[in-house]
């Protein structure tokens, strides 16, 4: 698609070009694992200011991450401007185990990676309960 735009001399606005090239995914890419009683969620967020461009919250047993990355207006107007960077708003919701202590959450940002560490309660062995099915109606088993 880049070749088509370049050879034809077409001036296509960046958001349209990104859409046509399949870059319209608005979710964040995450890596998730557990270390003991700590759930670790890592999010790829290069080129942002973590203090102003990210909102993290917990509601309904879900971790919500909203991030924004904006293009530099000074560069956008330059001759020959082209970018493959992802800009705009992105979000992700991740289910959490019940009973997460919201005071035990720490978020850090280093080298373009947002890392969120969440203390999760110890999980007891899953319990199963057999539910008896009772036949109703007029048909009898033979």
């Amino acid at each position: 698609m880049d070749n088509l735009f370049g050879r034809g001399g077409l001036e296509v606005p960046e958001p349209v070009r990104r859409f046509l090239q399949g870059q319209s995914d608005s979710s964040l890419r995450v890596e998730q694992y557990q270390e003991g009683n700590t759930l670790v969620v890592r999010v790829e967020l290069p080129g942002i200011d973590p203090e102003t461009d990210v909102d993290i919250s917990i509601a309904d047993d879900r971790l919500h991450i909203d991030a924004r990355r904006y293009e530099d207006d000074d560069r956008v107007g330059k001759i020959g401007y082209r970018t493959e960077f992802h800009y705009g708003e992105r979000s992700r919701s991740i289910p959490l185990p019940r009973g997460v202590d919201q005071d035990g959450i720490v978020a850090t940002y280093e080298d373009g990676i947002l890392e969120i560490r969440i203390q999760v309660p110890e999980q007891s062995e899953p319990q199963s309960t057999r539910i008896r099915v009772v036949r109703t109606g007029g048909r009898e088993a033979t």
Side-chain angles (χ1 to χ4, degrees):
M1 190 71 65
D2 277 340
N3 291 342
L4 175 66
F5 294 148
R7 282 188 299 214
L10 288 169
E11 286 296 320
V12 178
E14 282 303 308
V16 173
R17 183 191 62 77
R18 279 190 231 111
F19 176 77
L20 292 173
Q21 291 177 325
Q23 298 176 4
S24 61
D25 181 18
S26 64
S27 68
L28 296 168
R29 295 177 184 207
V30 301
E31 178 177 80
Q32 180 177 329
Y33 56 92
Q34 194 159 335
E35 288 180 342
N37 288 340
T38 302
L39 175 64
V40 180
V41 177
R42 294 168 40 93
V43 185
E44 240 181 2
L45 287 173
I48 59 124
D49 180 346
E51 295 176 0
T52 60
D53 297 339
V54 177
D55 295 313
I56 303 168
S57 61
I58 292 185
D60 302 323
D61 293 324
R62 296 184 78 74
L63 173 68
H64 301 281
I65 307 164
D66 296 303
R68 297 159 295 285
R69 183 172 181 206
Y70 303 106
E71 287 180 281
D72 183 343
D73 289 336
D74 292 337
R75 274 181 267 177
V76 172
K78 300 229 184 237
I79 295 172
Y81 176 76
R82 184 178 95 66
T83 185
E84 293 180 2
F85 291 178
H86 292 279
Y87 294 105
E89 296 187 20
R90 299 184 179 282
S91 63
R92 187 73 179 259
S93 288
I94 298 166
L96 297 174
R98 290 198 181 273
V100 165
D101 178 14
Q102 294 186 18
D103 295 330
I105 299 174
V106 176
T108 57
Y109 181 82
E110 183 177 351
D111 296 334
I113 303 292
L114 172 69
E115 183 174 281
I116 305 166
R117 293 182 161 267
I118 304 164
Q119 296 302 309
V120 295
E122 283 190 43
Q123 302 295 314
S124 59
E125 290 296 317
Q127 297 179 357
S128 68
T129 303
R130 183 168 167 83
I131 308 296
R132 185 172 167 256
V133 178
V134 177
R135 182 182 304 268
T136 60
R139 195 168 146 201
E140 292 291 321
T142 54

